[in-house]
Amino acid sequence: MQQVLTRSPEQRLQQIDRARRAVLDESQPPHEALSASWIERSWRRCLSSGLRPEQEVGFDVVPPQLQRHTEEANHSLVQAARPVLEKLGRAIVDTRYFVILTNAQGVVVDVSGAIDRSDHRADAIARIGVDLSERSIGTSAIGAALGELRPVWLHRGEHFFSATSFYSCAGAPLFGPDGRCAGMLDLTGIEAVERPELKHLAAQSACRIENALLLSQPHRLLVRLNWPGHPLGFDADGMVCLDDDGWVVGANQIARQMASQLATPARVHIGDVFGLPYQILFDAVLRQEPTMEVPLWSGLRLNALPMAPADAVNHMEAGVDILGNGNRPLKDVETALIRKAVDDARGNVARAARLLGISRATVYRKLGNGKRH
């Protein structure tokens, strides 16, 4: 990327042209490095699949039945993304770039921004249902973001087909609450000034969409996370949503990077992530506790801010009497929760420990009872 910043626009295009001739015409390694190694890999995939740079590109729309299915399957994604897309479109209105949202297969599900419909090059790609995957339009930020699963930047002739060499685009993948790729966000310009910084804007906006998609999931508790010393309440937070019993129903990518247990596709209980009874998180909401420190089983610690929607608060208040209504110390609340779990398990400490997501030794230590059941 350093080459993108230090070369003049003319030198940059000449560099890309030399790389194209080496790889696409002569099947040789490029004499000069491209802005990213994945571009050459994508070019070679296109060549090996029988595509040629001089071919026409159809920008085909998927069949009507598949388009209806795509719209239904991605309704939540579109709803979560629309406010972000509208603001993003206004932010880049003077740059000659516009916004495209695709699903995980590269099919356009929404667009935003200043799109010149009189320009067939803009209209061709900014249509709901058009297939912009690598197999359809060759190397592009759309296919790359979905294939590489990281933010990318692509300028002019770095696209595979000659017919797409006037586009410049930034792309970032979008991940759903389950951690799987749900689509991608693309910022595209036509014969526009190269702006690699748009890769950061795409990634930041993708994060906001992911958070909105996560919060649209049914949940009883939201836990915002960040490392000690970093403020909570912003887009950079890790976010985990829990059900009534402390099971994780969704998490954003930041949270998955903070706690390795959240990166697994398997169902996870928050007790396997935090080294404390999950009920303490719910109680913190009822008691309007400020930010609390939570231990991870790895030995690291995070700051956590438990939050709940209004209906979750009402739901939890039904069980608040077991803890009392006074401002009791957190240690006393924790002990009360553990004692109740043991009582509910009819004295079976092993079962209570499993329900709480902690070890039996922790139960004994917290209750100050050396007796084994």
Side-chain angles (χ1 to χ4, degrees):
M1 186 58 69
Q2 185 65 27
Q3 292 177 325
V4 175
L5 298 176
T6 58
R7 293 175 180 265
S8 70
E10 294 77 13
Q11 289 174 324
R12 173 84 166 107
L13 294 176
Q14 291 169 5
Q15 172 206 13
I16 294 172
D17 186 60
R18 286 192 294 269
R20 285 183 65 86
R21 289 200 302 270
V23 176
L24 301 182
D25 296 338
E26 303 168 15
S27 297
Q28 299 293 325
H31 302 304
E32 297 180 83
L34 293 161
S35 60
S37 58
W38 62 262
I39 296 174
E40 182 183 351
R41 295 198 298 271
S42 176
W43 283 359
R44 295 195 185 281
R45 280 197 304 272
C46 292
L47 289 172
S48 65
S49 65
L51 301 177
R52 297 300 305 168
E54 64 274 8
Q55 288 177 222
E56 293 186 4
V57 181
F59 299 107
D60 298 323
V61 173
V62 298
Q65 184 175 359
L66 179 56
Q67 186 169 345
R68 287 193 296 271
H69 173 75
T70 299
E71 291 175 356
E72 293 172 0
N74 293 276
H75 177 75
S76 296
L77 173 62
V78 171
Q79 291 300 110
R82 189 152 288 169
V84 179
L85 264 60
E86 291 175 355
K87 293 178 181 177
L88 186 54
R90 292 196 298 272
I92 62 175
V93 67
D94 295 325
T95 66
R96 297 177 59 198
Y97 282 78
F98 53 89
V99 189
I100 295 174
L101 180 71
T102 83
N103 68 358
Q105 290 71 48
V107 177
V108 177
V109 294
D110 206 358
V111 298
S112 184
I115 303 170
D116 182 3
R117 294 292 180 182
S118 65
D119 187 337
H120 70 91
R121 299 171 298 181
D123 190 60
I125 63 174
R127 293 175 295 154
I128 307 299
V130 67
D131 183 357
L132 300 181
S133 63
E134 184 180 85
R135 67 178 178 275
S136 179
I137 68 164
T139 306
S140 73
I142 291 92
L146 295 173
E148 300 286 323
L149 295 181
R150 60 185 177 91
V152 299
W153 168 258
L154 198 70
H155 184 52
R156 304 289 290 272
E158 289 177 327
H159 291 74
F160 178 78
F161 288 113
S162 301
T164 57
S165 63
F166 34 73
Y167 296 118
S168 295
C169 46
L174 294 163
F175 296 92
D178 59 359
R180 297 184 176 88
C181 181
M184 68 82 57
L185 181 66
D186 173 87
L187 307 180
T188 289
I190 300 174
E191 293 184 346
V193 175
E194 183 171 19
R195 298 187 184 277
E197 62 269 26
L198 289 180
K199 181 173 74 169
H200 177 265
L201 178 59
Q204 189 179 68
S205 300
C207 179
R208 294 183 61 200
I209 295 172
E210 290 172 358
N211 289 347
L213 190 58
L214 173 65
L215 294 177
S216 70
Q217 294 288 108
H219 62 280
R220 282 298 182 181
L221 188 72
L222 166 69
V223 184
R224 287 183 171 271
L225 302 168
N226 218 321
W227 300 108
H230 295 267
L232 284 163
F234 300 93
D235 290 335
D237 291 348
M239 296 170 61
V240 182
C241 289
L242 308 178
D243 68 10
D244 291 301
D245 299 317
W247 288 96
V248 175
V249 297
N252 66 2
Q253 284 300 102
I254 298 174
R256 296 178 190 280
Q257 293 165 7
M258 289 176 170
S260 59
Q261 296 91 337
L262 295 172
T264 174
R267 194 177 185 216
V268 177
H269 193 275
I270 200 63
D272 295 324
V273 182
F274 299 157
L276 49 73
Y278 76 90
Q279 293 95 332
I280 291 177
L281 299 170
F282 286 81
D283 181 63
V285 176
L286 294 174
R287 293 163 52 85
Q288 297 183 335
E289 294 282 349
T291 301
M292 58 191 298
E293 191 175 82
V294 297
L296 301 177
W297 288 112
S298 64
L300 297 170
R301 288 179 174 270
L302 289 170
N303 282 342
L305 178 61
M307 306 173 69
D311 62 333
V313 173
N314 294 335
H315 177 85
M316 289 185 290
E317 282 177 349
V320 75
D321 287 342
I322 67 166
L323 303 173
N325 294 317
N327 293 321
R328 300 171 64 185
L330 182 60
K331 183 175 70 173
D332 293 348
V333 174
E334 181 182 56
T335 301
L337 289 168
I338 293 174
R339 194 178 303 282
K340 181 177 185 299
V342 173
D343 290 343
D344 290 345
R346 297 183 179 180
N348 188 324
V349 173
R351 181 183 176 192
R354 285 197 301 271
L355 291 172
L356 291 171
I358 60 178
S359 68
R360 285 187 298 171
T362 299
V363 174
Y364 294 130
R365 185 175 70 255
K366 295 292 186 181
L367 296 181
N369 184 355
K371 183 179 178 180
R372 299 295 190 264
H373 294 277

